[in-house]
Every structure is written in C-alpha cells, then in structure tokens.
Amino acid sequence: MHVYPVRADVVYLKGEDSVKGYYFGGKKAEHKFCPNCGSSISVDPHGAFGEEDMVSINVRMLQDVELDQLKVGTVDGKTFGAPYDPK
C-alpha cells in the first residue's frame, strides 16, 4: 500500500543516509529499502515517467499510521497500457 506525495513534502526524520536502493527492468525508478530487514520503503522515479516530482512511499513505513483507519481506493493496473516487456 503506497501513497504518492510530492517530493518536497517528504521528510525523513532519521535513517535516510542508511537506506539502500536498486534499479531493475528499465532502470528508471529507484527502489529504496532497509538494508537491515529488507523492507521496501519507497520508489523514486526521479521524474522518469512524466509525472510531477512525486515519490511512492510504503504506508507501512510511516510512523503512527493505523492501516485500518485509512480510506483505501483501488486501481486497475491493466488500464495503464501494455504489460512490462524486458526486451
């Protein structure tokens, strides 16, 4: 479950310098994770997909957020276009 804030609204309170990242597939978006437990923290496309300067943050990594209190919407990923093709 992710939220998509504008980059300027994202503030790491601590640990940003220890987060690790990797790229895969088209190598456009950096996937950031905790090097200790392997938890996915965020995805940073660095503007590669044409959207405004946004990042994708894993809601489970946010402090004091109760998942069962969130209003959740769904997205039909098939409407985004052709499936990923690693060729």
Side-chain angles (χ1 to χ4, degrees):
M1 180 181 309
H2 285 244
V3 292
Y4 301 88
V6 174
R7 181 183 312 280
D9 293 339
V10 176
V11 177
Y12 284 84
L13 299 178
K14 62 179 180 177
E16 183 176 13
D17 55 336
S18 62
V19 170
K20 301 297 180 191
Y22 68 94
Y23 294 84
F24 68 93
K27 296 183 175 43
K28 293 182 179 181
E30 182 179 13
H31 297 255
K32 297 182 179 182
F33 67 97
C34 173
N36 296 318
C37 70
S39 293
S40 172
I41 297 170
S42 65
V43 180
D44 188 342
H46 302 289
F49 301 109
E51 70 282 351
E52 61 181 298
D53 197 18
M54 298 171 70
V55 294
S56 172
I57 305 289
N58 182 347
V59 175
R60 291 168 183 87
M61 299 295 109
L62 300 175
Q63 195 170 349
D64 300 325
V65 172
E66 299 291 334
L67 294 180
D68 59 349
Q69 300 298 312
L70 299 175
K71 286 186 177 181
V72 179
T74 59
V75 174
D76 175 10
K78 289 182 180 179
T79 63
F80 291 160
Y84 171 71
D85 184 3
K87 295 178 189 172

